[in-house]
Amino acid sequence: MTHPRGDVRLQINGEERVLRLTLGALADIEDKLGGGDLAALQERLKNPRISDIVLILHALIAGGGTPLAMEALKASDLDLSEASKAIAKAFSALEAAPGKSQAGP
C-alpha cells in the first residue's frame, strides 16, 4: 500500500496517528494563526508558541483522516521534539510538490 506524499506518522498516547497537510488543514492553520494571510502566518511561525504547535498538529491530524478533539490533544502524552519534527516533515511536502519549479525567477 502506498501513502500520499507528505504523510507523516506520530505516536500520540501510544497510538500511531497520520499527519497530512491538506488544503483544509492549511486553510484551518491560516485562519487560526495567520489572520487570513499566508505571509502573516509565515512570519508568526518564525518563532512559534506552544499553542501554535498544538493548533498546527490538530489541523494535520484532522488532515490525516482521524480527527482528535483539541482537549484530548492538549492532554496527550507526546514528545514535543518528535511532534515538531513531524510537523516540519509534513510541511516539507510543499517543497517537493510535483510540478513545482526549482528554478529561480
Side-chain angles (χ1 to χ4, degrees), residues 24-38 41 44 55:
L26 273 174
D28 192 31
I29 293 165
E30 183 181 67
D31 182 53
K32 290 179 179 168
L33 298 180
D37 181 286
L38 189 56
L41 175 63
R44 180 168 177 175
L55 287 168

Side-chain angles (χ1 to χ4, degrees), residues 10 13 15 17 19 22 25 32-34 42 47-48 55 64 77 80 82 86-87 90 95 100 104-105:
L10 178 67
N13 294 331
E15 180 182 336
R17 295 280 183 158
L19 280 58
T22 63
K32 290 179 179 168
L33 298 180
Q42 289 174 325
N47 295 300
L55 287 168
D77 177 27
L80 185 58
E82 290 301 315
I87 289 169
E95 296 171 8
K100 181 176 176 184

Side-chain angles (χ1 to χ4, degrees), residues 1 3 7-8 13-15 17 26-27 35 38 50 52 54 58 63 69 89 99:
M1 181 173 152
H3 300 285
D7 273 12
V8 180
N13 294 331
E15 180 182 336
R17 295 280 183 158
L26 273 174
L38 189 56
I50 296 297
D52 297 340
V54 172
H58 186 255
K89 190 171 180 182

Side-chain angles (χ1 to χ4, degrees), residues 93-104:
L94 288 177
E95 296 171 8
K100 181 176 176 184
S101 173
Q102 297 297 320

